[in-house]
Amino acid sequence: MTSAIQVKELNKYIKKYIAMDYLLANVTVEGEITDLTKHSNGNYYLTLKDDGARVRAVVYYTDVARLGHDPKNGDHVYANGAVSVFERDASLTYFIRKLELAGVGTAMEAFLALKDKLQEEGLFEKKQGKIPYFPQKVGIVTSKDGAAIEDIINVLTRRNPAVEIVLYPALVQGDRAPDELLAGMNYFEKSDVDVVVLTRGGGAYEDLQAFNDETLARFVASMSKPVISAVGHEIDYVITDYVSDLRAPTPSSAAELVARSHEELITQCELTLGTLRSMMLDKIKRCKNDVIPLKPVLNRAVATKRYMIRSQLNFGYSALRNFPHQGASRHRELELERRYLEKLIQAKPVVARQTLRVYKDRLNLPQVSKTHRTLQNAVKSLNAAVHSKNHLSYKRRLAASKAVMDAALNRTSEAYHIKLQALSMADYGKKLAQKMASRQTHLTQVFTDAQLMWHRDLGDKETALRATYHKLARHSFSNAYVKSSEGTILRSAKDAKVKDQVTIVFYDGSVTSEILKVGDQHE
């Protein structure tokens, strides 16, 4: 067919034909902005749509400054510009020169109304940030043929291959999409996954409406499993972004939030280790600063304790050296006391015998016989006087005889009293001798027991002091003590006087010196 034309000629003709239409060169269109992209070159790329159609549009950077407001998705606008066709693909593009805001579009109005309703009910106030730090099993609800699942699998496999991935395939756009998405979320709510990712790739604003479903949003808000919403691109917002635990700008970002890389974990561990090391060093430094002021106090306490131990050991050593002399002196005292008791016991019977001899000498038995004879003669005279007729002579003789009898009786009574005293004294001397003998036996036994106990106690003390002395010799403390010229041990510097002669006794010898100065321990 020789009359056929090429594709580029067709596209060129269409572009020329449209450019010749003066109506299309300056036309005003009413519609809703969607798929708005603000490019880094300054151009705005968007789509104008209504209920039945859509058209791609561009606002060049030279016209952006004259728009009068910053457009956004969902704005209902009146756009003025020209229509043209790109020859390469014959795509129709509306070049906007002016843009006037007419209100909010129908889809955006429904989105905002649902958002306000759920926010008033408190569904947006779920606790955020409860995503597990090391999830082992991840559930994903998205299309099995979309790019989102491929991006998530690639990122998770690269960052942490140990994470298990479970996919619930579901439609992500269309009339049945909300029901299938809801079924997938319900499935993972009853499973053992650690976190659920609700995601899809980018698309037109109308393609994301399944994620603005009210029933789906309420179920996501009520789930006990943590949910990450990653729908569309970074500029796209849907209702599930607000009711989930975490929003991710893209599916790849969601995978990065779920699985932390090995490098990130190592870095985190190193940071934690560094923090712990710094805290430990700070703690050690603070403890060191707290201990430094206590060092002088501890040194003084140690020096005082050392001085007390040295003094006690020196005193024990001195007592050990002096104890034999003290024991010998005590032995001599006990020996003198024993001898005195023995002399006293021996002297008591001698004194008793001497006393008895004196009383015996006083007792003159011939005199008693003479008195008896005198009494007999007096009686005879009395009898003779009774038979005498001379009454006066009788009375005189009677009085004389009575006087003689009284004197004789008194002498006899005194003699017998002396005899009785002598006899009593002799009996007392005998009993005293027996008592003294018993006392001597008892004192001898007591002295023997005391001497045995003293020797045993002396041996124990000598053994203990010698052990103390040997313990003292093994320590690094000084085991010397100071004696005055009188032989007494100086216990304090206050006992010393200038120019006194003192002797310093060591365990292996002694040194005699003169005191030049007496001061306290701080001088």
Side-chain angles (χ1 to χ4, degrees):
M1 297 179 65
T2 57
S3 61
I5 63 174
Q6 296 181 351
V7 175
K8 64 179 180 179
E9 292 176 347
L10 177 61
N11 290 347
K12 186 177 181 181
Y13 178 80
I14 294 173
K15 179 179 180 180
K16 183 179 179 180
Y17 186 81
I18 292 176
M20 291 173 60
D21 191 339
Y22 71 95
L23 292 177
L24 298 179
N26 187 14
V27 60
T28 301
V29 180
E30 179 183 359
E32 182 179 342
I33 297 177
T34 182
D35 300 334
L36 175 62
T37 301
K38 298 176 181 180
H39 201 272
S40 59
N41 59 12
N43 297 339
Y44 286 0
Y45 299 94
L46 55 96
T47 300
L48 288 179
K49 74 178 185 68
D50 56 16
D51 294 339
R54 62 174 55 212
V55 62
R56 289 192 302 175
V58 177
V59 182
Y60 285 122
Y61 70 94
T62 55
D63 298 323
V64 169
R66 295 194 296 268
L67 292 181
H69 73 284
D70 189 17
K72 60 180 180 297
N73 286 324
D75 288 349
H76 189 196
V77 296
Y78 296 107
N80 178 263
V83 178
S84 181
V85 175
F86 285 101
E87 293 183 10
R88 186 183 63 183
D89 55 1
S91 60
L92 183 67
T93 303
Y94 182 40
F95 294 91
I96 299 175
R97 291 188 294 268
K98 295 180 181 179
L99 196 65
E100 181 180 351
L101 184 64
V104 179
T106 305
M108 180 59 66
E109 185 176 359
F111 172 82
L112 295 176
L114 179 59
K115 178 183 175 183
D116 294 340
K117 178 182 178 181
L118 298 179
Q119 186 173 10
E120 290 177 359
E121 295 180 9
L123 298 185
F124 294 175
E125 298 177 0
K126 287 186 61 178
K127 184 179 179 181
Q128 302 294 314
K130 63 177 184 179
I131 306 299
Y133 197 80
F134 295 106
Q136 301 297 318
K137 194 173 184 180
V138 179
I140 302 174
V141 180
T142 188
S143 173
K144 64 179 181 178
D145 300 325
I149 186 61
E150 294 181 0
D151 293 341
I152 291 176
I153 292 175
N154 292 333
V155 174
L156 289 179
T157 304
R158 183 183 72 251
R159 291 172 64 86
N160 193 348
V163 176
E164 181 181 354
I165 302 173
V166 181
L167 172 65
Y168 187 94
L171 295 176
V172 294
Q173 67 184 49
D175 295 338
R176 294 188 303 162
D179 294 337
E180 293 193 10
L181 293 174
L182 180 61
M185 300 303 289
N186 186 31
Y187 171 79
F188 285 125
E189 174 67 6
K190 300 176 182 179
S191 68
D192 59 346
V193 296
D194 298 321
V195 63
V196 182
V197 179
L198 179 62
T199 183
R200 66 150 290 164
Y205 183 75
E206 291 78 10
D207 298 336
L208 309 179
Q209 293 306 307
F211 297 89
N212 291 329
D213 183 74
E214 182 177 356
T215 305
L216 177 63
R218 291 183 180 277
F219 185 81
V220 171
S222 65
M223 289 180 64
S224 60
K225 302 285 185 180
V227 178
I228 298 177
S229 177
V231 179
H233 299 296
E234 186 172 358
I235 62 174
D236 298 324
Y237 279 87
V238 293
I239 294 299
T240 57
D241 292 340
Y242 297 99
V243 296
S244 61
D245 296 282
L246 185 64
R247 175 188 180 268
T250 62
S252 300
S253 300
E256 292 177 355
L257 293 173
V258 168
R260 302 181 182 274
S261 65
H262 291 84
E263 293 78 7
E264 183 179 354
L265 293 176
I266 292 174
T267 303
Q268 185 66 32
C269 292
E270 290 178 350
L271 291 175
T272 304
L273 183 61
T275 303
L276 292 175
R277 185 183 293 109
S278 300
M279 293 174 62
M280 291 177 62
L281 292 176
D282 292 341
K283 183 67 175 178
I284 292 173
K285 185 176 181 180
R286 289 195 299 270
C287 293
K288 184 177 180 181
N289 293 334
D290 294 340
V291 169
I292 288 177
L294 299 177
K295 185 177 180 180
V297 178
L298 294 175
N299 290 337
R300 288 195 296 271
V302 170
T304 303
K305 188 65 176 179
R306 183 180 299 170
Y307 174 76
M308 293 175 61
I309 294 174
R310 185 187 295 117
S311 300
Q312 293 175 358
L313 294 176
N314 290 340
F315 177 76
Y317 176 72
S318 175
L320 178 63
R321 292 175 62 90
N322 295 331
F323 189 77
H325 304 289
Q326 297 176 358
S329 177
R330 180 60 178 167
H331 179 71
R332 288 192 296 272
E333 292 178 0
L334 291 174
E335 183 65 23
L336 292 175
E337 184 176 356
R338 185 184 67 81
R339 293 177 181 177
Y340 172 75
L341 290 175
E342 289 179 351
K343 291 180 179 180
L344 181 62
I345 291 171
Q346 295 173 0
K348 287 296 184 179
V350 175
V351 173
R353 287 193 294 271
Q354 292 176 354
T355 304
L356 181 61
R357 190 179 299 112
V358 170
Y359 282 106
K360 285 182 178 179
D361 294 339
R362 291 183 181 179
L363 184 59
N364 192 355
L365 293 177
Q367 185 179 0
V368 174
S369 300
K370 183 179 180 180
T371 303
H372 181 67
R373 288 192 300 271
T374 303
L375 287 174
Q376 288 180 349
N377 294 330
V379 170
K380 291 178 179 180
S381 299
L382 180 61
N383 291 330
V386 170
H387 295 287
S388 177
K389 294 181 179 181
N390 191 348
H391 183 64
L392 293 176
S393 178
Y394 169 73
K395 289 179 66 176
R396 287 194 297 271
R397 290 180 179 181
L398 181 59
S401 298
K402 183 178 181 181
V404 172
M405 289 180 65
D406 291 337
L409 288 174
N410 287 335
R411 288 192 297 272
T412 304
S413 177
E414 183 179 357
Y416 277 105
H417 181 68
I418 290 172
K419 182 178 180 181
L420 290 175
Q421 283 184 349
L423 294 175
S424 298
M425 194 65 187
D427 185 60
Y428 173 75
K430 183 178 180 181
K431 292 181 179 180
L432 179 61
Q434 294 176 353
K435 186 175 182 181
M436 292 300 292
S438 176
R439 182 64 175 171
Q440 181 181 9
T441 303
H442 176 68
L443 290 176
T444 302
Q445 183 64 35
V446 170
F447 175 77
T448 303
D449 295 342
Q451 191 174 20
L452 291 175
M453 184 179 298
W454 177 80
H455 280 294
R456 184 167 54 254
D457 186 56
L458 176 62
D460 294 341
K461 289 185 178 180
E462 183 177 3
T463 302
L465 289 175
R466 289 188 181 279
T468 304
Y469 170 72
H470 290 302
K471 181 179 178 180
L472 172 65
R474 291 194 301 269
H475 287 77
S476 60
F477 305 120
S478 173
N479 52 5
Y481 63 94
V482 182
K483 293 198 307 183
S484 64
S485 57
E486 289 81 7
T488 60
I489 298 176
L490 300 182
R491 305 296 183 186
S492 172
K494 298 179 180 180
D495 298 336
K497 296 181 181 179
V498 179
K499 295 184 178 181
D500 279 357
Q501 295 289 335
V502 296
T503 301
I504 304 174
V505 181
F506 297 91
Y507 74 95
D508 57 350
S510 61
V511 177
T512 303
S513 62
E514 181 179 350
I515 297 177
L516 300 179
K517 181 181 179 182
V518 178
D520 57 19
Q521 61 179 352
H522 301 291
E523 292 184 358

